[in-house]
Amino acid sequence: MVSGQKCEQFKAVQEAELESIRKRRKALKSIRKKLKVPSQEREAPKQDLGKKLVGLALSGGGIRSATFSLGVLQRLAAGGFLDRVDYLSTVSGGGYIGGALTWFANSGGRLGTGAQNFPHGVVDPRRGLRGTETSGVLKHLRLHGKYLVPGRGITRTSLLAVILRGVLLNFLVWVPLATAVLVLLLYAGGHMYGFMPGLEYVRGLAHRYGVDLGRACVGNGECGLEWLLWLAGLMGSVFLLLSAVYSLGTRMPSVKGMYTLRRFFEKWIRWVLGFGLGFLVVGLLPIMSHALIYAPSVLLGLAGGVVSFLRSGASDKGRVPLGLLAPAASVFLLYGLMLVCYELASLVVEPGPAAGPIPLTGLWVLGVSVLVSIGTGWCANLNYISIHRYYRDRLMEAFMPEPDTDGTTAPAAAADKAQVGKMHCPQAPYHLVNTNVVLVDSDCARWRVRGGDSFVLSQRYCGSAATGWVRTSQYMQKDPITLATAVAISGASVNPNTGAGGAGPTQ
């Protein structure tokens, strides 16, 4: 269900759209009459309107798609055909120019789909490149081909700063929280000693290889995180035991219930392995803090992430496959951060009585860490701190400037507030902005295999077959979705080739 709102049937969506299209046709007829433009088109009866609709679809492909689609729109407008289009369906790059048409048509009433008022003009570019016939809007677009770094104070350094801001704010949420969890785990170690048979053997085994698991621990130094290694071993033993029990049953494969037993094993064994690996990863932190320096691990992970992002759009993927580079970078980054958190937790938990409380200083650090983590996570809106917002703003400034622009780089304050639900000017077709809702973990095999479902954003309704449909006026009521945001979401990412093919870690 979309946004927790009451969903409606698709029939209601169609009826609302047809009503908008009917009003637009009526308004266009009135405009043609005032302008004395001849029209041979007859008004379709209400019951037959749904069978006589005209749609125009602009596909994706980044700037190349937007450029090609602009030429198509210009030619249709010049021939008087664009006025007859009822639906404008766009995705990604096609939405750049489609969104521009919708924006300009709704920005005062002067611009629209006719030959005389098409925003970018209908002059043959071979004659209009240096002439005075080229529109200011088209001139603006030509001057902003590299829209991500438009200049006038917004440069590549600005883009780098936005990326680092997002990374650091994420760290500010997860590092204090992970540190607090590790403080509790280290403290809990002092209370686990004596309850886990064989725990002394684990610690002795570590000492055999020169690793002191009690370096960062509470109590009398007898226990650190080795109790998690003990739990990891327990999970491993459970896995071996269940495997052995299952193997005994395979001697009689025809016994009733073997298929049910196999299904049971395959369904629930993932929890044993998952917890076992989790205990092992965290329990090995003291050992890895001796064997690895956490700073290089974090830096290597960040460098790998940057390279993965840059290589995701390259035609030549290079010798190192992206499918290998991106996961490796993630592992280095995440485990490096865990090592950082472990070092911080080691400074908080001081030696003391095994059953005693955490020192007052440690409690203060623990409390402040949790407050910082929760406060930052609660207040920070990912839609505004991520690189995607930067992409949305630059895209909006390039394709949706003020109608009277002279081509200079300037804020697009009016477009920044233009809501999708208010884009209902009769000068523009009914715009369907196509996006994708990610459903890779859906219980429905259809959506899971496809990776999601087409999610439509429009002036009357938002939704999909998978999620249901909600009136746009009720969708995201606290922060109504704007046309610029809808187009950016449809574009998916700064790099239009990221996750090409719909698979892999960068999907």
Side-chain angles (χ1 to χ4, degrees):
M1 184 173 291
V2 181
S3 301
Q5 300 289 339
K6 181 181 179 181
C7 295
E8 299 187 30
Q9 297 296 322
F10 185 65
K11 184 178 180 180
V13 179
Q14 289 180 307
E15 291 176 352
E17 292 175 352
L18 290 177
E19 181 63 26
S20 294
I21 292 171
R22 189 177 295 108
K23 289 181 179 179
R24 175 175 182 268
R25 287 190 175 188
K26 187 176 181 179
L28 283 177
K29 186 177 180 180
S30 176
I31 293 173
R32 292 193 191 103
K33 188 175 181 180
K34 290 181 180 179
L35 297 176
K36 297 181 180 181
V37 177
S39 176
Q40 299 179 352
E41 183 181 358
R42 295 181 179 179
E43 186 175 353
K46 185 175 182 179
Q47 63 274 17
D48 295 335
L49 179 60
K51 300 177 182 179
K52 297 184 179 181
L53 297 172
V54 178
L56 175 63
L58 304 180
S59 63
I63 290 295
R64 292 166 297 179
S65 173
T67 305
F68 178 83
S69 297
L70 172 57
V72 172
L73 291 174
Q74 286 178 310
R75 188 65 186 91
L76 291 175
F81 301 107
L82 196 54
D83 276 348
R84 302 182 186 181
V85 174
D86 299 303
Y87 277 107
L88 178 63
S89 178
T90 66
V91 66
S92 194
Y96 297 177
I97 199 65
L101 174 60
T102 300
W103 155 245
F104 287 120
N106 284 271
S107 60
R110 294 188 297 107
L111 303 174
T113 55
Q116 304 300 322
N117 64 352
F118 187 74
H120 300 82
V122 295
V123 177
D124 189 325
R126 292 171 294 184
R127 294 190 291 112
L129 280 175
R130 297 184 180 180
T132 57
E133 297 173 297
T134 301
S135 72
V137 172
L138 185 59
K139 178 183 178 182
H140 180 94
L141 190 56
R142 283 178 177 152
L143 293 175
H144 291 79
K146 295 183 178 180
Y147 62 92
L148 285 180
V149 283
R152 294 181 68 89
I154 301 179
T155 63
R156 295 181 184 274
T157 306
S158 304
L159 177 58
L160 177 61
V162 170
I163 295 174
L164 290 177
R165 179 188 66 189
V167 171
L168 293 177
L169 286 175
N170 273 279
F171 286 177
L172 201 57
V173 173
W174 293 108
V175 170
L177 188 61
T179 301
V181 171
L182 284 171
V183 167
L184 295 177
L185 291 177
L186 287 170
Y187 176 70
H191 299 267
M192 293 295 178
Y193 198 80
F195 294 95
M196 296 180 174
L199 194 57
E200 181 65 31
Y201 174 76
V202 174
R203 186 168 182 269
L205 188 64
H207 274 294
R208 181 179 178 182
Y209 293 97
V211 178
D212 181 14
L213 290 176
R215 182 175 66 88
C217 62
V218 296
N220 54 10
E222 293 180 332
C223 191
L225 292 180
E226 64 267 38
W227 65 282
L228 294 176
L229 295 178
W230 186 91
L231 288 176
L234 177 63
M235 294 295 102
S237 301
V238 171
F239 177 78
L240 289 175
L241 178 62
L242 293 177
S243 299
V245 171
Y246 174 76
S247 67
L248 294 176
T250 59
R251 288 289 298 173
M252 298 175 289
S254 60
V255 173
K256 183 179 180 181
M258 279 299 297
Y259 171 68
T260 303
L261 180 61
R262 288 199 305 273
R263 289 276 301 179
F264 180 84
F265 179 87
E266 293 157 0
K267 183 176 181 179
W268 294 102
I269 198 63
R270 61 193 176 103
W271 294 103
V272 177
L273 283 180
F275 277 108
L277 290 175
F279 293 143
L280 181 64
V281 167
V282 180
L284 286 175
L285 285 176
I287 297 176
M288 299 305 292
S289 67
H290 285 69
L292 291 176
I293 301 177
Y294 48 84
S297 180
V298 174
L299 294 176
L300 188 60
L302 288 173
V306 172
V307 173
S308 298
F309 173 76
L310 296 176
R311 296 298 298 169
S312 64
S315 56
D316 179 15
K317 300 301 181 182
R319 295 184 178 181
V320 181
L322 184 62
L324 176 62
L325 180 60
S330 300
V331 169
F332 276 110
L333 177 60
L334 294 177
Y335 207 74
L337 287 176
M338 289 182 67
L339 289 171
V340 171
C341 296
Y342 170 76
E343 294 293 336
L344 294 175
S346 301
L347 298 175
V348 173
V349 181
E350 300 175 359
I358 300 177
L360 183 60
T361 303
L363 286 175
W364 272 103
V365 173
L366 184 63
V368 171
S369 297
V370 173
L371 289 177
V372 169
S373 179
I374 295 177
T376 306
W378 182 268
C379 296
N381 187 330
L382 289 179
N383 293 321
Y384 287 85
I385 69 172
S386 69
I387 190 176
H388 194 270
R389 197 66 182 184
Y390 178 94
Y391 161 65
R392 177 262 191 194
D393 289 346
R394 303 293 83 77
L395 197 64
M396 175 184 66
E397 292 162 1
F399 285 87
M400 303 178 190
E402 297 296 332
D404 58 352
T405 177
D406 60 357
T408 58
T409 299
D416 183 54
K417 300 177 181 178
Q419 299 177 18
V420 171
K422 297 182 179 180
M423 298 290 105
H424 47 68
C425 177
Q427 291 280 49
Y430 189 93
H431 194 174
L432 302 175
V433 182
N434 295 279
T435 67
N436 180 69
V437 55
V438 180
L439 300 171
V440 293
D441 294 322
S442 173
D443 292 333
C444 176
R446 178 184 178 185
W447 311 128
R448 187 170 63 250
V449 171
R450 292 182 59 185
D453 187 28
S454 298
F455 193 96
V456 176
L457 302 168
S458 72
Q459 62 179 253
R460 299 296 291 270
Y461 277 88
C462 297
S464 68
T467 61
W469 301 86
V470 169
R471 292 181 182 273
T472 304
S473 59
Q474 299 176 355
Y475 182 66
M476 295 182 65
Q477 296 182 27
K478 294 183 179 180
D479 187 16
I481 190 167
T482 62
L483 179 62
T485 299
V487 170
I489 294 172
S490 180
S493 62
V494 173
N495 191 324
N497 293 317
T498 297
T506 59
Q507 182 181 2

